[in-house]
Structures are given as structure tokens and as C-alpha cells.
């Protein structure tokens, strides 16, 4: 794997270096108590980036035209790419217990990832729009669920890599496949968490609107990041990159 992006650590709240990390619910409570503000703001910005594409795709779905649906997704979905990279970067920094000033880091990651994430953002938006179109066309539920699970898994690993590494999109997709298969139990659990949350969104009202991007992403990364970090030594590479800055 290529070297991690060099991030300069700045002053900010963080745990003691030698403090063992909590797990499960205790870890979630710790992260929300310490980093909820930054994660929530990154989630709202990601939601704002998705809204234009969502509205255009909805209008295209009403017209029952697949080409129009794809055009709408491509026309507005590009903005979701850099916003998702920034959201995942914010969550991953929280999982690494990395101190820093959120807004300064957010702007830097946005500038760095803007060009490289435009096409993936439009592509993932188009694929989700296709699934919505297929659902309205009464496609078999089993096929839709399988397609949604695969897309969710790929999207999770893709944005995680985009937040951590500088590499071509084709390489990130290849690695996403390897991670999905290599960490299959965590992959299935992360996809299930996100799809269940997606299915519950209409019933959650305002709470679902305010948490619909960042909370399932946080839960998914809590599942997939620890085993990947242990296997690849990501945090050691990140610390080394920070030292060399």
C-alpha cells in the first residue's frame, strides 16, 4: 500500500497516549462525548452536498426515465465526493484519537481531495440512483438487497481509503474488493448496519435527517477500521508521515 497522507497534528483535546482504547458501546460513548461536534458538522456538510443530487434524482424518478436519472446523478453527485472524504477523514481522526482543530483540517482535506473525488462522487451517486430506479421498476427484492450491500461495502472502503491515501481510483476500487473479501465478517456487519439505518430513516424523522450520514458511517468504521489498522499498521505509518512533515 502506498504511504499515508502527511497530516500535521495540531493542538487539541485528546486522550493520554498510553490509555487503552475502549470497545463497543463504551467506545461509541467516548467518541460521541469527545468528537460529536466535529463529526456532526462534517455530517451536516456532507448532507448539504448530497441534497442537490437527491432533489434532481427525485425529479428524474418522477419522470420514470433512466437516462434522465443518470444525467441528474452525474450533474449534481460530483459534489458528494469531497464531502464524503472529509466526513470519513473526520471520523477516522476520531477513531485514531488524533487531536487537532476540525475546521482547519476539514478545509485542508477538502482542497486536497477535491479533484480526485469528483468523479467517484458522481459515480456512486449514479449507482444509488440506478438502484432507486430499479426499485420503482419492481426489480426482485433479493437482487436489490445484494446490490445495495455490495455498493455499501465498496463505498465504505473507497471513502476510507480516499481519506487516508493518495492513489488512483482504480487502485482504490481494487483494494476495496480485497478488503471486503479479506475482512468479510466486518464487511457484512458494516453493510448491515448502514442498510438497516437507511431502511429506518423514513421513521426517524428529524433525528434521521440529522444523523443519516454520519452516524451509520461512524458505526461502520468502528467495525472495519480496527482490524484493518491492526493488519496494515496504518497508525504507525500515519505517525511516521506526521514526523516527516
Amino acid at each position: 500500500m502506498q504511504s499515508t497522507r502527511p497530516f500535521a497534528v495540531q493542538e487539541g483535546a485528546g486522550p493520554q497516549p498510553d490509555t487503552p482504547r475502549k470497545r463497543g458501546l463504551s467506545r461509541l460513548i467516548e467518541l460521541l462525548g469527545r468528537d460529536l461536534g466535529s463529526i456532526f458538522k462534517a455530517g451536516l456538510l456532507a448532507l448539504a452536498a448530497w441534497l442537490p443530487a437527491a432533489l434532481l434524482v427525485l425529479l428524474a424518478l418522477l419522470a420514470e426515465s433512466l437516462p434522465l436519472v443518470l444525467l441528474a446523478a452525474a450533474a449534481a453527485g460530483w459534489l458528494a465526493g469531497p464531502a464524503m472524504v472529509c466526513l470519513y477523514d473526520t471520523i477516522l481522526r476520531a477513531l485514531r484519537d488524533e487531536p487537532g482543530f476540525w475546521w482547519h483540517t476539514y478545509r485542508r482535506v477538502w482542497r486536497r481531495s477535491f479533484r480526485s473525488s469528483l468523479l467517484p462522487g458522481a459515480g456512486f451517486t449514479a449507482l444509488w440512483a440506478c438502484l432507486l430506479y430499479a426499485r420503482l421498476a419492481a426489480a426482485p427484492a433479493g437482487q436489490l438487497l445484494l446490490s445495495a450491500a455490495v455498493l455499501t461495502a465498496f463505498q465504505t472502503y473507497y471513502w476510507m481509503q480516499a481519506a487516508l491515501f493518495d492513489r488512483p481510483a482504480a487502485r482504490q476500487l481494487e483494494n476495496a474488493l480485497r478488503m471486503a473479501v479479506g475482512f468479510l465478517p466486518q464487511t457484512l456487519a458494516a453493510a448491515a448496519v448502514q442498510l438497516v439505518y437507511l431502511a429506518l430513516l423514513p421513521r426517524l424523522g428529524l433525528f434521521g435527517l440529522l444523523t443519516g450520514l454520519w452516524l451509520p458511517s461512524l458505526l461502520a468504521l468502528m467495525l472495519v477500521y480496527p482490524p484493518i489498522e491492526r493488519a496494515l499498521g496504518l497508525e504507525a505509518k500515519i505517525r511516521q508521515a506526521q514526523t516527516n512533515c
Side-chain angles (χ1 to χ4, degrees):
M1 299 183 72
Q2 296 182 2
S3 60
T4 54
R5 294 178 173 180
F7 294 121
V9 178
Q10 300 190 24
E11 294 182 1
Q16 295 298 323
D18 298 329
T19 302
R21 287 179 182 168
K22 300 176 182 178
R23 296 183 180 182
L25 182 59
S26 297
R27 178 62 166 162
L28 177 60
I29 294 173
E30 178 187 40
L31 292 172
L32 293 180
R34 187 188 68 210
D35 300 304
L36 176 60
S38 59
I39 295 174
F40 178 74
K41 287 180 285 188
L44 284 185
L45 290 174
L47 177 63
W50 275 103
L51 281 180
L55 293 175
L56 287 180
V57 168
L58 177 60
L59 293 175
L61 288 172
L62 294 176
E64 299 182 354
S65 169
L66 181 58
L68 191 58
V69 167
L70 294 176
L71 178 62
W78 57 269
L79 188 59
M84 290 302 294
V85 174
C86 290
L87 172 61
Y88 271 58
D89 177 80
T90 300
I91 295 174
L92 288 168
R93 287 177 186 275
L95 291 175
R96 297 198 302 266
D97 298 317
E98 183 175 304
F101 298 110
W102 171 77
W103 181 239
H104 173 83
T105 303
Y106 187 97
R107 289 183 298 167
R108 186 176 58 192
V109 174
W110 179 280
R111 289 194 298 267
R112 180 181 293 134
S113 63
F114 185 78
R115 290 186 179 181
S116 62
S117 58
L118 294 180
L119 184 58
F124 280 118
T125 303
L127 290 173
W128 280 113
C130 286
L131 284 181
L132 290 175
Y133 181 86
R135 184 177 184 276
L136 293 179
Q143 294 180 11
L144 286 176
L145 181 59
L146 178 60
S147 299
V150 171
L151 180 55
T152 300
F154 265 83
Q155 182 173 271
T156 300
Y157 287 118
Y158 187 92
W159 296 133
M160 183 178 72
Q161 290 180 86
L164 290 171
F165 305 104
D166 287 312
R167 59 161 55 100
R171 180 70 179 280
Q172 290 188 173
L173 289 173
E174 177 185 349
N175 284 335
L177 176 60
R178 292 180 178 179
M179 291 178 181
V181 175
F183 302 93
L184 188 59
Q186 292 84 0
T187 299
L188 295 176
V193 164
Q194 294 178 86
L195 290 178
V196 168
Y197 204 90
L198 181 63
L200 292 175
L201 277 182
R203 301 181 180 181
L204 296 177
L206 180 61
F207 178 81
L209 181 64
L210 295 177
T211 62
L213 283 177
W214 66 264
L215 183 54
S217 297
L218 172 60
L219 296 175
L221 286 176
M222 286 182 65
L223 290 167
V224 303
Y225 175 73
I228 292 177
E229 195 287 320
R230 289 193 295 269
L232 303 179
L234 292 178
E235 295 187 13
K237 295 178 181 179
I238 291 171
R239 287 192 295 269
Q240 182 62 40
Q242 292 170 344
T243 302
N244 294 335
C245 284

